[in-house]
Amino acid sequence: MLSARSLFQEIHDDDQAFRLFCSIAAKGEDQGGWENGRIARLVPDPVLAPKVARHGADEDKHGRIFKALLHKRGLAERDVPDDTDYTMILERQGIGLAHARLRRDEPLTERDVITYLAHSRVTEQRASEQMLMLKKVFGDHPELGRAVRMISNDEDNHLAFCHEELLRLAYHGHGRAILDTLQATARAEIRTYRDVSLAVMAHLGELLRWPRAKSAALAAGIHAVYAYERAGGWRRMTTLRMPARLNALGGPAPHEPAPHEQFA
């Protein structure tokens, strides 16, 4: 029987599948760290900038954690197939702030900040949900549990940050622009998530030598999720509510041992 638990356990138990999974995750986190680091330097708001910097520091930390998990297994990172690069596929569709924009040393406009926060609100929703699923599967795992719990908590903080900052901007008269940007971002994200999920499963299927029937069943499940999201499930990514965790990224990051000390 196919289940999230059996699927992720199979990936974990195979070195090459685990290597691909962690390499994809590490690359995405590294990209997020770079983007948030650049945005923190370009945001003119002195209150917002350190929160964005904290967001970037968290993403960098997550990338190091995935690399440390590989190192513990004696595995090196591998090149990530282009069709699994979620972040760059979204960028090519004009979603979020383009890397070319972030490389220019020009202060971000208020519209740029809305674009950044709306993109983060949608993608952090996905990240929070994925990490919650991984926490259910591996939360008590002796090798992965601590890393999964830490990253899941951080993703929840990132999502809370996006809700709070977007609500603040909506209060100051940007509600229409925020809603339009959230809706466009969510519609693009669900298509991208479907396509990337199909690509990741195809690459894993080759490594794990899945029978055709199993690959077809997994692909059907991905298409079913997309059908649900396209029919209205995407709207969960566009609603805003004041989070229980206020100022989730305020203040310095809590002191933690370096990832190689925690997970090596």
Side-chain angles (χ1 to χ4, degrees), residues 41-140:
R41 293 183 182 91
L42 300 175
V43 166
D45 183 341
V47 176
L48 180 61
K51 296 179 182 180
V52 179
R54 166 79 182 275
H55 188 177
D58 284 347
E59 303 287 8
D60 286 337
K61 177 183 69 179
H62 300 167
R64 294 193 301 271
I65 288 172
F66 283 113
K67 293 169 192 174
L69 291 172
L70 285 174
H71 179 73
K72 185 176 181 180
R73 293 263 291 259
L75 301 171
E77 282 184 89
R78 54 158 289 176
D79 291 338
V80 171
D82 288 343
D83 55 0
T84 67
D85 196 333
Y86 169 86
T87 302
M88 295 310 297
I89 293 172
L90 280 173
E91 182 185 342
R92 286 197 290 270
Q93 298 176 70
I95 300 301
L97 294 175
H99 284 191
R101 171 68 182 90
L102 295 179
R103 290 189 181 99
R104 299 201 304 268
D105 289 323
E106 300 173 9
L108 298 181
T109 66
E110 204 155 40
R111 178 68 212 199
D112 289 333
V113 172
I114 289 171
T115 297
Y116 155 65
L117 287 170
H119 173 267
S120 295
R121 189 267 175 264
V122 171
T123 56
E124 293 295 344
Q125 177 80 41
R126 184 72 72 185
S128 178
E129 291 170 353
Q130 288 183 318
M131 290 311 303
L132 178 60
M133 178 172 60
L134 282 174
K135 189 165 69 170
K136 289 178 180 177
V137 174
F138 291 121
D140 295 325

Side-chain angles (χ1 to χ4, degrees), residues 99-224:
H99 284 191
R101 171 68 182 90
L102 295 179
R103 290 189 181 99
R104 299 201 304 268
D105 289 323
E106 300 173 9
L108 298 181
T109 66
E110 204 155 40
R111 178 68 212 199
D112 289 333
V113 172
I114 289 171
T115 297
Y116 155 65
L117 287 170
H119 173 267
S120 295
R121 189 267 175 264
V122 171
T123 56
E124 293 295 344
Q125 177 80 41
R126 184 72 72 185
S128 178
E129 291 170 353
Q130 288 183 318
M131 290 311 303
L132 178 60
M133 178 172 60
L134 282 174
K135 189 165 69 170
K136 289 178 180 177
V137 174
F138 291 121
D140 295 325
H141 192 278
E143 177 189 351
L144 303 179
R146 189 175 181 186
V148 167
R149 293 192 305 271
M150 180 186 297
I151 296 173
S152 180
N153 183 69
D154 287 346
E155 301 297 6
D156 289 345
N157 282 337
H158 300 166
L159 186 56
F161 157 73
C162 295
H163 276 271
E164 187 173 3
E165 294 302 323
L166 284 169
L167 284 170
R168 180 179 61 81
L169 287 169
Y171 177 80
H172 288 288
H174 299 285
R176 184 73 258 171
I178 290 169
L179 181 59
D180 289 346
T181 307
L182 282 170
Q183 290 181 345
T185 303
R187 290 190 179 105
E189 194 280 341
I190 64 170
R191 293 192 304 271
T192 300
Y193 180 71
R194 174 201 61 191
D195 294 344
V196 168
S197 296
L198 290 169
V200 170
M201 287 300 114
H203 289 290
L204 288 171
E206 290 181 9
L207 292 172
L208 294 168
R209 299 179 181 178
W210 286 337
R212 190 171 300 175
K214 181 172 182 176
S215 294
L218 288 167
I222 292 167
H223 283 294

Side-chain angles (χ1 to χ4, degrees), residues 1-11 133-134 136-138 218:
M1 178 181 175
L2 288 176
S3 66
R5 182 175 296 276
S6 64
L7 177 63
F8 283 115
Q9 191 64 55
E10 186 176 2
I11 293 167
M133 178 172 60
L134 282 174
K136 289 178 180 177
V137 174
F138 291 121
L218 288 167

